[in-house]
Amino acid sequence: MTLRSLKQIIPALETSDGAGVRIKRSIGQQQNIRLDPFLMLDEFGSADAADYMAGFPSHPHRGFETVTYMIEGHMLHEDHLGNRGNLRNGGVQWMTAGRGIIHSEMPQQEEGVMRGFQLWLNLPAAEKMTEAGYRDIQPEDIPEIAFEGGTLKLIAGSVTVNGQAHEGAVPDRSTQPVYADIHLAPGGTLALPVPKTHSGMLYLYEGTASLGDSELQRSAANILGDDGDKIELNAGETGARLLLIAGRPIGEPVVQYGPFVMNTREEIEQTLRDYRDGRLTA
Ligand code: FE2
């Protein structure tokens, strides 16, 4: 197996979304900054309620999936299908917008830390108009794999740690996404196969770590090179926490208009008409 190098660093930029929630956006900060099949990655994290209280009132999506991973905090998801889901410390909400969903994501706390990530995973043309769906994944249903030097929470996909294969909480997607939250102890190391078929990134959100000889940048999408089939992580002296996000590229044109992601302009125009006429979710 050969090591994958660090190809590119996309530092997250501070911005705000929803009704004024402060976030850091790496992938998706501009429309040409994506990592097929991933459209966007937002980090939110604040101990100041003013940064998150406004939340994300009712809004639509079509054509992709959103994956929200709450590290700390409490949000309530509600959608037009009647789903209600509490997203709490360590839980994940996996929402398939498909042909259309209208939902809100509102904080259920007035103080304290709110911290987590939202990832947008594109759907191939053949799946964009599927039925909308929603899955609440409880923290205890996310496999946690211990190894010498740390632990790995496997939200989605399959990984092999020390020769042993593990399946995440959400294995069944055509882009075969891998989503892992890796905690490394000070000086801890981890070697993981990441198949050549997958594009991938590392998002360091605490501590320091390197990929092979390359230092990872904090709060940035550290994009993996296409030159190998495994990664080797080494934590610095304070340890590290980072996300590994990888998936099979779809290789189709992407036309995005805000919360709608289709393949052509005509499909976006149709989506806007459907939304205007109340047929987005019909
Ligand atoms: Fe949303």
Side-chain angles (χ1 to χ4, degrees), residues 56 59-61 66 95 103 105 118 120:
F56 299 86
H59 61 277
H61 293 290
T66 67
M95 190 190 80
H103 78 149
E105 299 152 294
Q118 187 170 83
W120 286 16

Side-chain angles (χ1 to χ4, degrees), residues 128-276:
K128 281 189 179 293
M129 296 298 275
T130 66
E131 292 298 305
Y134 169 82
R135 272 176 76 172
D136 233 349
I137 302 160
Q138 301 304 320
E140 57 272 21
D141 296 328
I142 299 173
E144 185 162 346
I145 301 146
F147 54 90
E148 199 185 324
T151 58
L152 180 153
K153 288 185 196 180
L154 192 52
I155 295 164
S158 44
V159 298
T160 301
V161 181
N162 293 329
Q164 199 176 346
H166 301 269
E167 284 294 325
V170 184
D172 52 346
R173 284 294 179 278
S174 57
T175 48
Q176 299 172 351
V178 175
Y179 192 159
D181 183 10
I182 301 168
H183 297 191
L184 294 170
T189 66
L190 176 64
L192 275 186
V194 178
K196 257 193 167 140
T197 50
H198 281 46
S199 56
M201 60 180 145
L202 295 162
Y203 194 95
L204 178 71
Y205 64 94
E206 246 184 67
T208 56
S210 59
L211 171 72
D213 296 332
S214 308
E215 197 70 24
L216 295 178
Q217 190 169 322
R218 178 97 64 90
S219 288
N222 294 268
I223 310 291
L224 300 178
D226 310 314
D227 46 355
D229 49 12
K230 102 177 197 187
I231 58 169
E232 205 172 85
L233 300 169
N234 299 289
E237 55 192 27
T238 56
R241 293 175 67 166
L242 67 163
L243 305 177
L244 165 65
I245 295 172
R248 279 176 89 99
I250 295 170
E252 293 174 357
V254 175
V255 182
Q256 177 173 2
Y257 183 84
F260 307 125
V261 183
M262 303 301 287
N263 297 107
T264 66
R265 259 191 70 173
E266 291 69 32
E267 288 167 348
I268 287 291
E269 283 162 10
Q270 183 62 50
T271 301
L272 292 170
R273 281 194 298 272
D274 288 348
Y275 184 48
R276 186 195 59 201

Side-chain angles (χ1 to χ4, degrees), residues 11-50:
L13 298 177
E14 294 240 6
T15 180
S16 75
D17 206 343
V21 178
R22 282 177 62 148
I23 54 168
K24 288 182 192 165
R25 180 166 294 164
S26 48
I27 298 293
Q29 59 190 235
Q30 285 177 36
Q31 292 221 352
N32 57 351
I33 302 181
R34 299 194 180 103
L35 182 69
D36 188 10
F38 305 105
L39 301 162
M40 199 181 85
L41 178 62
D42 287 348
E43 174 186 10
F44 51 93
S46 179
D48 180 354

